[in-house]
Amino acid sequence: MTRGLWPDPAGRALGLNPDDQALDEWFLAYATRAYRGDFAFVTGALNAPEGVNILGNASLIGLGLLFAPLTLAFGAPVTFAVVTGFNLAANGAGWYLLFARTAGLHRIAALVGGAFCGFAPGMVSQSNGHLHMTAAWLAPPIVWCVVMLAREQRRAVRRGLLLGGLAAAQFFLGEEVLFLTVITLGLFCLAFAATARPALRTVLPTLGTGLGVALAVVVALLAYPLWVQFRGPQSASGGVFGPAFFSADLKSFTAISPLSLAGGESAAQLASGPAEYTSFFGAPVLVVVLGATVWMWRRPSVVACTVVSIVLFALSLGPHIVVGHHRTDQRGPYALLDGLPVFEWALPARFALAAIPLLAFVVAQVVHAALTQTETLKLLVPVAVTASLVPLAPLPLPTVPRAPVPKFFTEGYWRGCAPRDGTIVPVPLPDSQDPQAMRWAAATGVAFATPQGWFIGPYGDGGHAAVGIFPRPTSRLLQRAAVNGTAPALTDADRVALRRDIAYWHASCFVLADGQKGAGALKSTLDALLGPGERVADVWIWRAPR
């Protein structure tokens, strides 16, 4: 799947989402600063000098810290390529172990279920730059803890401590995954209790004790990070992405993802983007799950998985149901949750991701049941399941070439331009439309600060969340030059604004790379503003006047 990145990780990018890849690489590089004792949840290394609330963004803190030695040795692009594949493989391995050892399923059945969990179309789709969503490999251990608390009437405190620690770790790997895991586990427990009607007097004491201990651990470990995220500096209120836009199309559930073996580009219109094919399960898989549920209706775990999957599907439809890319007036169940705390940050379509392990368990259960039945079923059921899954087999992620990071940064020339943690202004400045210049700082381990950038901050109306920041006058001037390809006529007001922006950014120098769009116009503009540029390695630099 990741083979398109490997010929040149620094010179290749995900063709369907290169901008999020640039952001991920910046976060992976920033995490290496923790190894020199210089890491904070709010940092001025991006959006200098105001900074960015790392916890208010999909910041890959856990992945960055875990893979920091790899990043320090080979660079953030290599780490990105490794983690993209690692997350999917680790997800599949985790669910395989849960199905085989905890659920006691036949190894072949567990392998089928684990493979579906790791490489379902939704997870493959999220691999296009959403590493915080594919880093779900702690979900199986979290589920194991809850199962064991309900199954065995001992070690409640020990398992509660483990559960709390795993939940806190998942928070830093991917907070949205933790949110979806908690919601799904809660729904499953309710559905299973209603279906199986276990002896609650036997289960609740141990389960309640373990969950209480886990909650105490989570509060102790996450109280401060959560305060920083929701109330700390540069925190933002409200969700930045509209739930109506990021909702699942009703027709998408039976469609085949364009990133799957049997997929076609026509299905792409059923999703908000190529990273959000979350509900593309395909009609054959849904038929198999329905048939398996009817056949094994006496198994509470199977029925509970199917019921909860339907609930998650319904929530993924968003506040208004969309059919064939047409928004109807029919309100969906998510409308009851829209605007509630925490839910305001959620993207409805991603509730369908939480159904993947549930559907995988049903599929694994039916394969297990067939392998322990008559010879006819041993053949027919695996063939039917295989036929439903093969069309969903993932294709390699599309990749494209990208401009290399200038040698000015990779070979250390930047140190003659700015001190460590000083501010270097890329020309033009990175923003939500083109964040690729953030890779320059990532190549140095984020050893200098960058103004603006691609991030979520409190720059919407009334301090609400918004993507990026409203650019300053000099940034707008340079952006016009790049877009128009001609140097604008300069005024005294432009020169006054430049001096103010340099002081505001605490800028040491401006850097223009070869091959930049509108490079000639940008160079002429900066020459007129700051004097003739200086050629250093493969870039032009202009030192900021003091």
Side-chain angles (χ1 to χ4, degrees):
M1 280 184 54
T2 60
R3 69 185 185 189
L5 296 172
W6 285 110
D8 181 12
R12 303 287 298 177
L14 295 173
L16 300 178
N17 197 3
D19 290 347
D20 275 356
Q21 179 178 350
L23 176 65
D24 284 352
E25 289 176 359
W26 191 93
F27 282 132
L28 290 170
Y30 176 71
T32 63
R33 292 172 57 130
Y35 280 52
R36 58 184 175 95
D38 186 19
F39 180 90
F41 292 145
V42 180
T43 176
L46 191 62
N47 187 34
E50 293 187 15
V52 171
N53 189 315
I54 295 294
L55 292 169
N57 289 262
S59 50
L60 310 182
I61 294 175
L63 288 171
L65 295 175
L66 182 63
F67 287 91
L70 183 66
T71 306
L72 290 169
F74 300 104
V78 171
T79 302
F80 179 88
V82 169
V83 173
T84 299
F86 170 84
N87 279 348
L88 299 185
N91 291 340
W95 288 108
Y96 164 78
L97 291 173
L98 188 76
F99 293 159
R101 297 188 178 184
T102 306
L105 301 184
H106 191 286
R107 288 188 178 183
I108 294 178
L111 184 62
V112 171
F116 185 72
C117 287
F119 299 94
M123 299 305 292
V124 173
S125 171
Q126 293 290 326
S127 295
N128 283 295
H130 293 174
L131 298 185
H132 65 292
M133 294 303 302
T134 60
W137 29 271
L138 289 184
I142 288 173
V143 173
W144 177 85
C145 286
V146 175
V147 170
M148 297 309 293
L149 283 170
R151 180 182 292 179
E152 297 183 2
Q153 311 308 310
R154 57 194 181 92
R155 300 179 181 175
V157 174
R158 182 183 303 178
R159 286 183 177 137
L161 291 172
L162 177 60
L163 177 59
L166 289 170
Q170 181 61 62
F171 174 87
F172 291 108
L173 283 177
E175 186 176 358
E176 194 168 350
V177 171
L178 177 61
F179 170 74
L180 293 173
T181 301
V182 171
I183 295 293
T184 306
L185 264 175
L187 291 173
F188 177 85
C189 289
L190 292 175
F192 185 83
T195 306
R197 296 181 182 178
L200 295 181
R201 291 183 179 179
T202 304
V203 174
L204 285 181
T206 305
L207 183 61
T209 300
L211 294 179
V213 171
L215 180 61
V217 172
V218 167
V219 169
L221 295 178
L222 299 183
Y224 175 70
L226 285 170
W227 178 85
V228 172
Q229 177 179 350
F230 292 105
R231 292 290 184 268
Q234 291 298 95
S235 60
S237 61
V240 67
F241 301 112
F245 182 73
F246 288 94
S247 298
D249 191 304
L250 189 60
K251 286 189 175 181
S252 67
F253 292 95
T254 58
I256 303 295
S257 166
L259 300 178
S260 296
L261 182 64
E265 290 301 322
S266 60
Q269 65 178 340
L270 300 175
S272 59
E276 300 296 339
Y277 300 146
T278 55
S279 52
F280 287 56
F281 293 101
V285 167
L286 299 183
V287 170
V288 166
V289 170
L290 180 61
T293 305
V294 172
W295 181 30
M296 298 183 291
W297 66 274
R298 292 183 180 274
R299 300 191 183 188
S301 58
V302 171
V303 174
C305 282
T306 302
V307 169
V308 175
S309 295
I310 293 172
V311 173
L312 293 171
F313 287 172
L315 290 174
S316 72
L317 295 173
H320 284 86
I321 296 177
V322 177
V323 182
H325 207 57
H326 171 69
R327 181 177 179 270
T328 69
D329 293 330
Q330 179 62 48
R331 292 171 65 84
Y334 186 84
L336 301 174
L337 307 174
D338 194 10
L340 293 178
V342 182
F343 282 92
E344 65 182 353
W345 289 81
L347 302 186
R350 292 182 181 174
F351 279 96
L353 292 175
I356 291 174
L358 302 176
L359 299 184
F361 182 71
V362 175
V363 170
Q365 278 276 18
V366 75
V367 173
H368 171 82
L371 292 175
T372 57
Q373 298 291 328
T374 66
E375 293 297 326
T376 302
L377 288 177
K378 283 183 179 180
L379 176 63
L380 291 180
V381 172
V383 168
V385 169
T386 301
S388 72
L389 294 178
V390 166
L392 304 183
L395 298 173
L397 297 173
T399 58
V400 294
R402 62 176 173 177
V405 175
K407 293 180 181 179
F408 178 80
F409 297 102
T410 59
E411 297 183 6
Y413 291 98
W414 66 271
R415 294 186 181 90
C417 174
R420 177 173 286 275
D421 295 327
T423 301
I424 294 178
V425 181
V427 179
L429 281 76
D431 56 21
S432 59
Q433 301 302 314
D434 184 9
Q436 293 300 318
M438 291 169 55
R439 297 170 52 223
W440 298 357
T444 69
V446 190
F448 61 83
T450 303
Q452 289 191 188
W454 161 226
F455 60 93
I456 296 174
Y459 297 105
D461 293 340
H464 282 249
V467 175
I469 186 173
F470 189 74
R472 295 185 67 83
T474 301
S475 177
R476 296 199 300 272
L477 179 71
L478 295 173
Q479 187 63 42
R480 286 201 306 272
V483 172
N484 297 333
T486 57
L490 300 177
T491 65
D492 290 339
D494 293 325
R495 293 182 171 86
V496 170
L498 173 66
R499 290 195 295 271
R500 290 175 178 172
D501 291 341
I502 287 174
Y504 174 78
W505 289 325
H506 305 293
S508 297
C509 66
F510 292 73
V511 177
L512 173 64
D514 292 341
Q516 176 68 50
K517 179 182 178 181
L522 290 167
K523 182 178 184 303
S524 297
T525 302
L526 286 169
D527 282 344
L529 287 171
L530 295 170
E534 176 185 350
R535 186 68 177 179
V536 179
D538 52 353
V539 303
W540 290 96
I541 71 168
W542 291 264
R543 300 182 188 278
R546 295 297 180 183

